[in-house]
Amino acid sequence: MRRPVIAGNWKMHKTLAEARALARAVRNGCAESADGAADREVVLAPPFTALAAVAGELEGGAVSLAAQNAHWEDKGAFTGEVSLPMLKDVGCGMVIVGHSERRQYCGETDAVVNRKVLATLKAGMQPIVCIGETLAEREAGRHESVVAEQLAAGLANLTPGGLLRIILAYEPVWAIGTGRTASPEIAQEMHACIRKRLAEGFGTSAGEVRILYGGSVKPDNVDALMRQPDIDGALVGGACLEAESFLRIVRFQP
Ligand code: PEP
């Protein structure tokens, strides 16, 4: 049984006051859901500056807190970076690792992603590991091999037990922030392919790993996506910045 996860990636948005208000609205909305957000896990990933404030709003509730990035070292001379123990200290249990925007704009490679995944697990936290092909890679028919390479390198040296503690997010780069969603069929095809690769590398634990879809998930397409057998949730960007649209996604009806 894979409990669905709906995670909101706030990216570089929200002042402190805005962050508090959005976190409070999401927390209250989830608590009110008679139709049950209870069977699903809800995660908010605000920017570093808002983590402490959002942690305060979420305290004692059911919504989890994630960071959008972390350094793999515990401490040291890494100007501008934030470590896993610091994130844990502020109340984060999860970290998004290898988001395509970090790969694209910050030069994050699969080897860096791997260091972060292993460090996150070692810190007792849960990585949400992002993979996905660009439009050029898909048009060249390389989407499956690209994702397979990202999995092999990004999850290198992970044990089958470690695999059970990660969450994967398949996010085709051409669908992120573009309004162009992968059709439920294309997304399912890729999720099934990812699960097959995991099974080849790790054995039966692959069936228990949650694989989220990300890329222009909105209130009007989430239900169809969540009907697919290998889609276990969503990583949401644009549509998580307003409580109403995010809560509608949380309340998806498969
Ligand atoms: C994301 O940032 O992970 C994402 C999927 O963004 P959007 O929903 O805006 O495409």
Side-chain angles (χ1 to χ4, degrees):
M1 176 64 188
R2 301 189 299 262
R3 187 176 178 218
V5 183
I6 304 294
N9 173 13
W10 294 6
K11 308 195 186 188
M12 200 170 69
H13 292 283
K14 305 293 177 188
T15 62
L16 275 183
E18 291 165 348
R20 281 196 192 97
L22 178 55
R24 198 174 313 135
V26 170
R27 179 195 167 141
N28 292 344
C30 289
E32 277 162 17
S33 288
D35 52 349
D39 65 337
R40 43 207 76 171
E41 191 171 349
V42 180
V43 182
L44 298 183
F48 288 139
T49 48
L51 282 172
V54 171
E57 295 295 336
L58 300 183
E59 203 177 337
V63 178
S64 305
L65 185 64
Q68 297 175 19
N69 180 39
H71 198 273
W72 60 83
E73 293 288 350
D74 282 358
K75 58 183 168 186
F78 299 100
T79 302
E81 295 287 346
V82 175
S83 76
L84 290 153
M86 291 169 181
L87 295 171
K88 208 169 169 179
D89 189 41
V90 86
C92 284
M94 297 172 154
V95 186
I96 298 174
V97 176
H99 190 280
S100 68
E101 286 152 13
R102 294 206 56 83
R103 293 176 187 258
Q104 190 180 348
Y105 304 126
C106 308
E108 226 164 81
T109 61
D110 286 328
V112 168
V113 170
N114 183 240
R115 290 180 92 155
K116 293 186 176 189
V117 169
L118 297 177
T120 304
L121 291 173
K122 192 164 162 235
M125 298 167 73
Q126 197 170 23
I128 302 175
V129 188
C130 302
I131 54 174
E133 80 285 358
T134 62
L135 186 58
E137 288 162 343
R138 175 161 282 269
E139 285 176 348
R142 295 187 52 235
H143 42 289
E144 292 195 1
S145 60
V146 165
V147 164
E149 281 158 29
Q150 290 173 337
L151 281 175
L155 304 186
N157 300 314
L158 199 68
T159 61
L163 183 75
L164 290 176
R165 291 175 47 216
I166 74 166
I167 294 175
L168 277 173
Y170 168 62
E171 300 206 300
V173 179
W174 46 272
I176 297 179
T178 58
R180 187 177 163 189
T181 322
S183 67
E185 294 73 25
I186 286 182
Q188 165 57 27
E189 193 178 273
M190 289 303 286
H191 281 232
C193 163
I194 290 164
R195 207 177 294 287
K196 185 164 165 268
R197 297 283 178 171
L198 291 178
E200 285 162 8
F202 297 92
T204 50
S205 355
E208 293 176 50
V209 178
R210 292 178 292 179
I211 309 175
L212 317 186
Y213 168 78
S216 299
V217 176
K218 307 282 179 215
D220 62 2
N221 59 27
V222 66
D223 295 346
L225 286 161
M226 290 305 298
R227 245 171 251 138
Q228 304 303 314
D230 285 294
I231 298 184
D232 306 315
L235 181 53
V236 185
C240 79
L241 296 175
E242 300 292 335
E244 195 182 330
S245 58
F246 186 61
L247 285 167
R248 169 60 186 87
I249 292 171
V250 167
R251 294 183 186 122
F252 69 85
Q253 301 289 332

